[in-house]
């Protein structure tokens, strides 16, 4: 068999998702459906200092960029109990285990 003559392009590029939970080192599950529903219901993104970091109705790229500017590159989705119930339901619907949710 002859060797393949392949070229690599943009190998240093990767996509960063602003919605997710690392379930094991280097492996994450996306929470996009649940996060979108939560922000539609009034949830907001805050940083470790408790400050709102983005307009939640804006495009995901702005959320991603805002998260990357935060302490430890982390943000929190702040919501009420009614929204949490919907958020939780969508996580379980998309194969999150109870342990992963905790």
């Amino acid at each position: 068999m002859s060797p393949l003559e392949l070229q690599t392009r943009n190998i240093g590029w990767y996509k960063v998702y602003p919605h997710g939970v690392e379930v094991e080192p280097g492996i994450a599950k996306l929470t996009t459906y649940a996060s979108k529903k939560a922000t539609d219901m009034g949830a907001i993104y805050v940083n470790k200092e408790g400050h709102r970091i983005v307009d939640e109705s804006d495009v995901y790229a702005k959320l991603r960029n805002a998260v990357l500017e935060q302490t430890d590159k982390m943000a929190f989705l702040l919501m009420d109990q009614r929204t949490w119930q919907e958020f939780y339901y969508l996580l379980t619907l998309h194969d999150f285990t109870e342990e992963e949710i905790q």
Side-chain angles (χ1 to χ4, degrees):
M1 180 187 280
S2 62
L4 298 175
E5 295 185 25
L6 303 175
Q7 295 180 0
T8 58
R9 298 186 197 289
N10 303 320
I11 198 138
W13 292 18
Y14 58 93
K15 186 163 184 166
V16 175
Y17 291 91
H19 305 260
V21 175
E22 188 174 45
V23 293
E24 60 183 84
I27 304 295
K29 286 187 176 180
L30 295 180
T31 63
T32 308
Y33 295 113
S35 299
K36 175 66 173 127
K37 177 71 173 182
T39 57
D40 286 349
M41 294 177 69
I44 62 171
Y45 285 99
V46 299
N47 60 18
K48 284 187 167 187
E49 294 74 35
H51 300 117
R52 189 174 186 179
I53 63 167
V54 72
D55 175 350
E56 290 77 16
S57 66
D58 216 331
V59 297
Y60 288 139
K62 289 193 179 180
L63 171 60
R64 178 204 57 216
N65 294 343
V67 170
L68 292 174
E69 294 173 2
Q70 304 310 309
T71 305
D72 297 330
K73 295 180 175 44
M74 188 177 299
F76 300 88
L77 189 55
L78 184 64
M79 65 189 82
D80 62 11
Q81 182 64 38
R82 177 183 67 96
T83 306
W84 167 252
Q85 289 168 337
E86 288 292 322
F87 185 82
Y88 184 92
Y89 169 73
L90 286 171
L91 290 179
T92 59
L93 187 66
H94 289 94
D95 298 323
F96 274 81
T97 66
E98 177 65 31
E99 183 179 275
E100 291 167 341
I101 293 170
Q102 291 304 317

